[in-house]
Amino acid sequence: MGYASRVDLYRRYGPALMRKCERMLGNAHDAEDVVQSLFVDLLRKGRRDVELAYLYRAATSRCLNLLRDAGRRRALLARQGEEVLAPARERLVDRVVSADLLARLAERLDRRSLEILVLHHQDGLSQEEVAALLRVSRRTVGKRLTKARRIVEQLTDADAGSGGGA
Amino acid sequence: MSACAQPVSWLLLERYQLGEVTASERARVETHLEACTRCRADLDRLAADARPLPPLPEPAPAGAHRFFALAAASAAAAALVLVFSLWAPWRPAARAEWPPQRIQVKGGELAMTLIRERSGAVIENPASYEDGDRFRIELTCPPGELSWDVVVFQSGRAFFPYEPAGSIACGNRVGLPGAFRLSGSAPAVVCALAAAAPPDRAAVAGAAPDDLPVPAACLGLAAER
């Protein structure tokens, strides 16, 4: 596959991934950085056997890297407030699954559970679809989502107790 | 708005818009869209999103082993280029990995994380920079006290942004003190050096970034404008 055809891959899937990363990170600038670095790595590796589902998972992983790093998270959250094209449609314990909520969860939740939460509650994949994408059992997905829900409920209770909220 | 208890996932909507769905998936989406104004509106938003993509850097030509050869081949070259050296002793064989396929961080070896900060946005090991970007460096190296320095190769010249360099207690992602900025519009290579004794700046400045006389981890950056 030549460079031009690989760039075609970027043109084809880049916008979808940009929208996906915007939902996770809450701003277009960081989304661009993540998507661009993802494709730079793909081009260097000469990968051609990629489809959008694979790229969705890879982009999720890179966004989580940002959200899980305390220093990066602070800078990222400072950029919140810009409107994203495709806002989160899903809610979890009556809270929008926003970059802010994901950043707070990143301090309390393991990486795999966060990944599952994003794919299900933000990207809207069914539990079966998440299980197929991550090659885990549907039962594992359910257990991880239950764990995530419990932590979100704790956050909600804490916010209510302190008069805050999301 | 109609009820949408089970919205079509963003992934499926994107694939539908791209025409990459199976016949059964297409039927499922279209049946859903007939009854769901919310998902129809979401699909319309995807279709109307005509944002420009940032340019994708052209990767380095295969077989090129020296950064400046790469830069000459393409001024826009922006492939991440990491020179990764085994910790000790310096092994010329490591240069065969130029450019390496991925960043490697292992115990007993030296690795660098280059952190770019721009307008509050932070990214690790970026492929490019623009004039005025601020950078910090974190080193991963075997436990022990080591002297460090940083050198930037740009337009055929070497400069040392830290004055003075110093020593660190090595470990996992140990941050070098302070930060520096890159300026200009030429490709640059940023190298972190670490050795038992302070690196000889004259010897480093006279060497190519993929042939430094001390253990080093380097990252190539394209200029964005």
Side-chain angles (χ1 to χ4, degrees):
Chain A
M1 178 188 264
Y3 173 72
S5 56
R6 279 180 265 145
V7 169
D8 286 344
L9 201 69
Y10 173 61
R11 292 196 183 115
R12 182 167 183 77
Y13 294 134
L17 294 171
M18 216 71 91
R19 290 187 281 268
K20 187 262 184 299
C21 292
E22 272 191 23
R23 287 196 296 276
M24 279 191 76
L25 301 176
N27 72 83
H29 188 98
D30 293 305
E32 277 186 8
D33 277 347
V34 167
V35 173
Q36 197 175 31
S37 67
L38 171 61
F39 274 92
V40 166
D41 284 350
L42 284 174
L43 293 182
R44 195 182 319 109
K45 291 172 184 170
R47 289 290 305 267
R48 66 186 75 180
D49 55 335
V50 293
E51 54 186 25
L52 189 57
Y54 168 87
L55 294 171
Y56 242 59
R57 185 180 176 189
T60 301
S61 177
R62 286 172 185 246
C63 291
L64 288 179
N65 288 343
L66 278 180
L67 289 165
R68 288 181 67 83
D69 185 290
R72 321 294 181 272
R73 187 164 60 231
R74 201 175 307 115
L76 188 145
L77 291 179
R79 298 178 60 81
Q80 297 303 295
E82 302 171 24
E83 185 185 0
V84 297
L85 174 81
R89 314 147 107 203
E90 308 298 320
R91 297 173 78 86
L92 177 59
V93 195
D94 208 31
R95 300 172 70 131
V96 172
V97 182
S98 61
D100 178 63
L101 178 60
L102 289 176
R104 295 178 69 189
L105 288 173
E107 297 174 327
R108 299 164 173 82
L109 203 54
D110 63 276
R111 185 185 182 86
R112 176 48 66 94
S113 296
L114 266 176
E115 188 177 20
I116 288 172
L117 181 150
V118 167
L119 291 170
H120 180 63
H121 283 292
Q122 194 174 64
D123 294 334
L125 273 69
S126 69
Q127 292 191 25
E128 290 76 13
E129 289 168 331
V130 174
L133 184 61
L134 300 185
R135 297 176 182 171
V136 297
S137 69
R138 156 73 179 73
R139 179 181 164 83
T140 296
V141 172
K143 283 167 65 176
R144 300 278 185 159
L145 289 173
T146 300
K147 180 180 177 182
R149 171 176 289 271
R150 195 164 55 241
I151 292 176
V152 174
E153 285 170 348
Q154 289 168 3
L155 280 178
T156 303
D157 290 345
D159 288 343
S162 63
Chain B
M1 184 174 287
S2 64
C4 193
Q6 182 74 49
V8 177
S9 73
W10 286 116
L11 176 58
L12 187 52
L13 279 182
E14 297 278 12
R15 288 176 52 230
Y16 176 79
Q17 188 204 359
L18 289 166
E20 293 188 355
V21 287
T22 63
S24 64
E25 286 172 332
R26 174 176 295 281
R28 185 179 127 211
V29 170
E30 291 178 351
T31 301
H32 182 89
L33 291 177
E34 283 176 14
C36 180
T37 53
R38 189 175 106 179
C39 288
R40 269 208 313 278
D42 285 339
L43 181 62
D44 289 344
R45 294 180 73 164
L46 300 188
D49 180 24
R51 75 183 65 200
L53 285 171
L56 196 62
E58 187 167 351
H65 280 226
R66 298 183 74 85
F67 173 79
F68 292 110
L70 302 184
S74 169
L80 280 171
V81 180
L82 181 75
V83 175
F84 185 77
S85 66
L86 296 182
W87 177 245
W90 172 257
R91 298 183 186 178
R95 279 183 276 149
E97 297 172 6
W98 183 283
Q101 294 300 298
R102 63 188 173 88
I103 295 170
Q104 304 168 54
V105 179
K106 293 179 182 174
E109 297 168 338
L110 171 66
M112 172 181 73
T113 305
L114 184 65
I115 300 158
R116 188 188 76 193
E117 299 176 3
R118 179 191 300 170
S119 305
V122 177
I123 186 168
E124 291 184 2
N125 299 322
S128 60
Y129 78 99
E130 71 177 32
D131 189 69
D133 279 350
R134 185 172 182 269
F135 289 87
R136 291 185 291 112
I137 287 178
E138 294 175 349
L139 281 184
T140 296
C141 44
E145 189 82 6
L146 286 173
S147 296
W148 61 267
D149 203 346
V150 173
V151 59
V152 178
F153 295 92
Q154 194 178 30
S155 301
R157 295 175 54 244
F159 67 92
F160 297 84
Y162 285 93
E163 195 61 60
S167 61
I168 54 167
C170 275
N172 187 34
R173 295 192 61 159
V174 179
L176 299 185
F180 62 94
R181 293 184 187 277
L182 281 186
S183 58
S185 57
V189 179
V190 178
C191 298
L193 320 170
D200 179 347
R201 286 189 167 182
V204 169
D210 63 335
D211 194 22
L212 293 172
V214 292
C218 305
L219 190 66
L221 301 170
E224 291 180 20
R225 56 177 69 92

